[in-house]
Amino acid sequence: MTTLLEWSADLPEWARDALRRIAVSDALPQEDRDAVKARIRIAQGIAVNGEHPCVPLGEDHLPAAAGDGGATILCGLGPVQNVDRLANDQELRMAVEGITLVYGHNGSGKSGYARVAKKLCQARVVDALRGDVFADAPAPPAEARVRYRMPNQEVREERWLDGEAALTALKRINVLDSANARAYIDRESEITFLPREIEIVTRLGELYSALSTEFAREADAIAQQYRVAYAVGRSLVPATAFAEIPSEQSLRDAGAWDEVKAQELADLTAMLSQDPRALARARRRISDSLTALADSYETANSGLSDERVAAISARIASARTTAQAAALSARERFADQVIEGTGTNAWRLMFEHARQFAAESGLRQQDEAFQEGDPCPTCQNPLDAAGAQRLQRFDDFVHSRATANAEAARNALDQERETLQGLQIAAGDATARALAEYRALGEAEAATFNAAIDFEAGLRHRCATLLAGIETGQAADVAALPDNVVGRLRAEIVRVDAEAAAFEARPDGDPALAARAAELRDAKRLSEELEAALLRRAELVLRQRVLNCKAALATEPVSRFTTQRRRELVTPELRRRIEDEVKRLDLSHIPLRVAESTSRGRNFFDLALDTRQNARKSQVLSEGEQTALGLACFLAEISRIPGNHGIIVDDPVSSLDHQRLRKVAERLVDEATAGRQIIVFTHNLVFYQEVISAAAAHNPPVPLLQNLICKSDAGGFGIVTENDEPWIAKKVAQRIEVLRTKLATIPNEADRESEAYRALAKDFYTDLRETWERLVEEVLLGGVVERYGAAVKTQSLKGVVVEDEDYRTIFHAMRRVSERSGHDMPAGRQIPVPDKAEIGRDLDAIVQYRTAANHRKNRLEQQRRALENPPAAQVG
């Protein structure tokens, strides 16, 4: 079994230094990344300023295993700002031991707190945080106060701004919701919380990949700069192998030029002027140069002919007149708009982008009209009727004939611009160098050369004039071209080729002299461009060394080591834990197998179906089985995390049947018993009750904090009350206390005829009616059968009796509260709204009945307890 230190011993010094930096930091700072990059450059022979010694990884750089010091505890979240419509003066506090159970109805603001938790803690799928989308202006970045306690330390308080790095201390707390559970089903999952040595090497692989990309970009930039072949020194191109790039000294030696070499070249030129082979080669070079020039002139002349000039001038005029027509149409259509310039080209581009955004986001397709109530694609406020009509007018204008004609003319002109810019017209100095040998042949050749230079200048001037006209929108007068020399050049090519053929037919000359003359000519040209050649050579050497840096960052060795160590230290344990969780969540009937892989130094696992045919889990398993499987993978992963760090779950139980839902509640209680902080967000009342029951049933019972998140009557969201539970879960006694509080808030002298008082009374009697209904279940029937409960408590029957007086009392009480809680009454039987005193008497009625029923229940239990045992026998 090879350890990290043993494996690293064979790595380059810079890689061992990088491992040390990773081992002693939770997140590698930019300064360390730059230092590693500098050391790689030094190792490949690239000069870097300053001293850069390498300090290799050692035993003392490997910290103790994560979790040895205990777990981070999340103490409070909030106040938060700019998150949905959450109130900005609330704090959601957490129990530091046991379970925090947070209940909130849909739309109460509960999910806003859960999304902030996912941003701050560890989650596979993280949602973007948004402000109030119904506000007039976009919100600033979300902000939250976080209170947490590190092991053996006091509570810390931090303010976190969305976009900043999350607090490292919270990243060991895991978050699970339906999206995160789904991630285990839909794709491979990266293994988190690896043993420290694998984690360090995994991060090394990520650093390798990132730096490799940076080096590749640097090398590509150099290659792009020097992609054109160089006239002097043909080995100075990006494709040249490193070993074949000439040294700086060899270039300097080859480019050395003096009077001696100049005289030698002159003598050789004179000697070789009569050498048939040399003369033939010279004529072939001249023919090639003339051919290239004639071809380029012919192409340019075709694109700049008088016919093309006329066509381009017409397009300029068309673009101008159609643009004016579109502008006139815009002024007529949009004279009533607030912003001047509506309908211009800049406005049209903005509107088309907004239209494209609306189509890509699924709001409205390009050809589909906006409707009242749709969010505006620019400001995102709901459109009123006038706004929808305004956007329809914009659509009509953009698709109008005037706009279409203007756009077509503009596109045609853009195409002409691209065509003109693509013409390759040689510069005069380049032509002079290319035809130097030809011009030296005689006066007639020099005259043809001068004519070519004049024609070339005319082509460049004509092209520049047309481009300027396109830019200004005004076609200028274009000067006539000088005499077209293409035919003249073609005739010269024929003549020169014939001369070359004639020279080639003569006996050979001295090839050594020809080679020396060519060598001297190259040396002369190199001497004239030596500095440019040296700079090019230096850049190409740098590129090769940068590519060597990239090659040194291959991730295959990293992947091999992490694969080996993962199979030794991680995979067997992870497989065992997954199998255990699968059994605990009653999924053993599904044939499953754990697959694992490594990619670019990163480690992945997948819980796949063990089938002969390829089959996706989402296509075979039910929704409930998929949810349970995602939960099993999550629980298996977090059970491997050392230190008993916390778990936050946000309604991960959708589609689960009651039995598996109970198993999940029991598993969370088990984790709390093991010392983890458990925070549960839910709107599922059955799951809520199961967590409470599981916490109470455990021996010893698990501490539980019940928090309620709701929205206020004033429209605020995310209002937190501690040690509270939803109305539907409250017992009769708790509901009576809520009703007492409501009664106290009713003004003594309130106008019973007002709509406000009528609403207060109606709300009170609705809650009172529901309390009578809960009383029947909880008190009269002793909780034998309860809603949201699966058990039938036969032992509770000992306190149950229903007499005629019970029926009469409950019947009349229910009829009374039902009449006042919103049931529609016939027009001829209008019941007056009760005053505060009458409401109080109706509340007293349920209190008195509950007290009497409880007394009777207690007496019955004592009497019936005797029935559980046989009667005592008489002694003779």
Side-chain angles (χ1 to χ4, degrees), residues 311-324:
I312 293 170
S313 298
R315 290 197 186 281
I316 294 173
S318 175
R320 185 176 64 254
T321 56
T322 55
Q324 292 170 347

Side-chain angles (χ1 to χ4, degrees), residues 731-793:
K731 300 292 186 182
V732 173
Q734 296 170 303
R735 293 188 177 195
I736 287 173
E737 292 306 313
V738 173
L739 290 169
R740 288 190 195 279
T741 302
K742 281 193 173 184
L743 180 62
T745 62
I746 299 177
N748 291 327
E749 304 300 328
D751 180 7
R752 287 196 294 163
E753 301 304 320
S754 69
E755 286 301 319
Y757 183 86
R758 183 185 299 276
L760 284 173
K762 181 178 179 181
D763 177 66
F764 182 91
Y765 277 99
T766 297
D767 287 350
L768 183 56
R769 185 188 73 231
E770 293 178 357
T771 305
W772 274 106
E773 293 170 350
R774 179 58 56 87
L775 180 143
V776 171
E777 171 189 313
E778 177 187 326
V779 178
L780 182 62
L781 300 181
V784 174
V785 179
E786 294 179 327
R787 284 174 289 184
Y788 309 110
V792 177
K793 303 173 185 177

Side-chain angles (χ1 to χ4, degrees), residues 537-552:
R537 176 205 170 274
E539 288 292 290
L540 292 179
V541 167
L542 173 61
R543 176 177 179 273
Q544 290 292 343
R545 295 189 187 280
V546 169
L547 288 176
N548 289 344
C549 291
K550 178 180 183 299

Side-chain angles (χ1 to χ4, degrees), residues 175-192:
V175 183
L176 178 70
D177 62 1
S178 56
N180 281 273
R182 188 82 208 171
Y184 291 101
I185 303 300
D186 292 338
R187 59 179 181 268
E188 284 188 323
S189 303
E190 186 168 4
I191 299 175
T192 55

Side-chain angles (χ1 to χ4, degrees), residues 604-801:
F604 299 87
F605 79 95
D606 182 28
L607 190 57
L609 294 174
D610 192 8
T611 57
R612 295 181 179 275
Q613 303 175 20
N614 290 330
R616 295 175 59 186
K617 296 186 288 289
S618 60
Q619 297 174 337
V620 175
L621 304 182
S622 68
E623 285 291 331
E625 288 173 328
Q626 292 178 52
T627 300
L629 196 57
L631 281 164
C633 291
F634 173 79
L635 293 170
E637 272 223 283
I638 61 98
S639 67
R640 294 181 50 255
I641 304 171
N644 279 340
H645 293 275
I647 304 172
I648 301 175
V649 295
D650 179 22
D651 268 335
V653 294
S654 60
S655 305
L656 288 185
D657 57 49
H658 192 205
Q659 290 302 316
R660 284 203 182 95
L661 188 144
R662 173 171 294 178
K663 291 178 183 295
V664 173
E666 292 171 346
R667 279 293 292 113
L668 294 177
V669 169
D670 288 344
E671 292 296 330
T673 304
R676 291 192 193 276
Q677 181 188 34
I678 306 296
I679 302 168
V680 180
F681 292 87
T682 187
H683 75 284
N684 185 314
L685 193 61
V686 176
F687 183 56
Y688 175 88
Q689 296 285 11
E690 288 292 348
V691 173
I692 295 174
S693 297
H698 197 277
N699 187 19
V702 174
L704 182 74
L705 171 65
Q706 293 171 254
N707 285 342
L708 179 63
I709 294 181
C710 60
K711 58 183 178 181
S712 69
D713 295 337
F717 292 81
I719 307 302
V720 181
T721 55
E722 288 183 7
N723 289 308
D724 197 3
E725 56 186 347
W727 170 264
I728 196 170
K730 291 181 186 295
K731 300 292 186 182
V732 173
Q734 296 170 303
R735 293 188 177 195
I736 287 173
E737 292 306 313
V738 173
L739 290 169
R740 288 190 195 279
T741 302
K742 281 193 173 184
L743 180 62
T745 62
I746 299 177
N748 291 327
E749 304 300 328
D751 180 7
R752 287 196 294 163
E753 301 304 320
S754 69
E755 286 301 319
Y757 183 86
R758 183 185 299 276
L760 284 173
K762 181 178 179 181
D763 177 66
F764 182 91
Y765 277 99
T766 297
D767 287 350
L768 183 56
R769 185 188 73 231
E770 293 178 357
T771 305
W772 274 106
E773 293 170 350
R774 179 58 56 87
L775 180 143
V776 171
E777 171 189 313
E778 177 187 326
V779 178
L780 182 62
L781 300 181
V784 174
V785 179
E786 294 179 327
R787 284 174 289 184
Y788 309 110
V792 177
K793 303 173 185 177
T794 57
Q795 292 293 319
S796 298
L797 281 171
K798 66 168 61 77
V800 175
V801 64

